[in-house]
Amino acid sequence: MSLRHAILVLLQDQEASGYDLAREFANSIGLVWNATHQQIYLELGKLNEKDMVKFRHIPQDGKPDKKMYRITEEGRDELIRWLRKPAAPPRIRDAFMVKIAGGALSDPSSILRELEDQADLRRERLTTFEDLARKLDDRNGDKDMYTYLTLRRGILDQQAWLNWAEEVRSELRRREDLTTSV
Amino acid sequence: MSLRHAILVLLQDQEASGYDLAREFANSIGLVWNATHQQIYLELGKLNEKDMVKFRHIPQDGKPDKKMYRITEEGRDELIRWLRKPAAPPRIRDAFMVKIAGGALSDPSSILRELEDQADLRRERLTTFEDLARKLDDRNGDKDMYTYLTLRRGILDQQAWLNWAEEVRSELRRREDLTTSV
DNA sequence: TATTGCAGCGCAATCCGTTGAATAAGTAGT
DNA sequence: ACTACTTATTCAACGGATTGCGCTGCAATA
């Protein structure tokens, strides 16, 4: 239940609209916490009711009005309270891995096909993370260090995944060799 | 929404009770898909209504009766249909990482403390996965290969995490040196 | 001119998931 | 004798999340 806290973390640095936050969830924080715009707008409403954020109306011409949210004292208190207590380990729910575990039902070629699709995705992520990390390489402020470490987490994760994919390929090839040589 | 399919994968090999499945979710498949027993019982109920599984009553003396579930033709069809269509990439929701991203608010020492707790957990998982993988090292059947690959995924994942933790430690130390030398 | 996309917000229905508890009887340990 | 754990299933309540839909209006593109 910490979409809430992810939002508060983002609002710490700057005032932002729901839309802004949704974009950041699609990029930076999305690395560690996913959320859609509906969820975000809903949560902002709740946070507002609890006085953890407040907003000002910004009328815009042409575009619809927007609400620029900022964190309040109560919000910051809540965030700090949350930071203090230990986080539950993330629960894992990886559909693709379920497929692998039940792989004996599929044929190897279709597994390999999907593996490559997933690998493309990971490679893409890897390069974007690496680019972002390179820009932060002269990390000075505390804040930069923590975003750098967050990115490093993403990078190591993608690399581990890609290494695993390599193992899958060679195992499946090994198996093919065994069966065709019979 | 593929708790369903994870269950079907497990039922493929053997008839099992909800309780059995819950245990397997706590171990083997839990590596890639987490679920509690309540969820499993509920899902078994739904699967039964849709005729994707059926069960027989086993009265037991001493222990309460159990329901042994097995997969049906419809269940197998559904599973195969699902295996064919591409899996959505898993959504990431890692509370601890949210803390890191907002780390500038905490003090480094409390971050390090929690890091070590999480690292303990990962190390523990790593050794259990490695033990299981060693037992499968003469992997022959297709099925064994896929469980082996699943385990490898878990192993590489834990290792990547622990390597990252090492980076966090040295970064935080570096930072401490900088600030204390001022 | 029609379509697509972006910026910006929201509601409603439903589904999924979590928490917490209840029941029931055996077994193992202090 | 008391406690705690294991086997085995189920229910109720709540809150979180997802899916699908709706609105406005500008800018760009085909």
Side-chain angles (χ1 to χ4, degrees), chain B residues 19 37 41 60 66-67 91 93:
Chain B
Y19 193 85
H37 74 273
Y41 284 119
Q60 298 186 119
K66 61 173 159 178
K67 295 176 176 178
R91 36 190 161 8
R93 262 157 209 193

Side-chain angles (χ1 to χ4, degrees), chain A residues 41-170:
Chain A
Y41 285 123
L42 200 73
E43 192 60 42
L44 281 172
K46 287 182 198 168
L47 283 168
N48 185 50
E49 271 173 32
K50 301 198 175 192
D51 295 313
M52 293 180 185
V53 300
K54 60 184 177 187
F55 66 90
R56 49 197 188 103
H57 249 289
I58 309 281
Q60 298 186 118
D61 44 326
K63 298 172 195 173
D65 296 358
K66 62 172 157 179
K67 295 177 176 177
M68 290 297 277
Y69 288 88
R70 61 176 67 192
I71 193 168
T72 63
E73 272 312 304
E74 285 96 323
R76 202 165 271 115
D77 289 351
E78 163 63 22
L79 184 51
I80 287 170
R81 215 176 310 129
W82 178 75
L83 286 167
R84 266 202 268 274
K85 59 179 186 180
R91 36 193 153 5
I92 301 158
R93 264 156 208 194
D94 193 327
F96 177 63
M97 281 300 137
V98 173
K99 285 194 180 185
I100 296 289
L105 279 140
S106 325
D107 62 314
S109 65
S110 71
I111 289 180
L112 280 170
R113 213 177 308 122
E114 190 162 6
L115 186 81
E116 295 315 321
D117 291 346
Q118 298 263 343
D120 286 345
L121 212 158
R122 303 290 177 150
R123 263 183 242 110
E124 218 176 274
R125 280 190 201 166
L126 182 58
T127 51
T128 57
F129 293 166
E130 281 173 337
D131 288 350
L132 289 168
R134 220 171 290 120
K135 281 176 195 159
L136 278 183
D137 220 12
D138 52 335
R139 54 201 176 282
N140 288 311
D142 272 13
K143 215 209 120 214
D144 281 358
M145 181 183 64
Y146 287 109
T147 50
Y148 174 79
L149 287 172
T150 309
L151 285 169
R152 283 298 296 164
R153 178 85 187 80
I155 289 168
L156 293 177
D157 216 33
Q158 307 314 311
Q159 285 173 343
W161 200 98
L162 291 168
N163 288 337
W164 173 78
E166 202 37 66
E167 290 190 14
V168 175
R169 281 184 212 106
S170 69

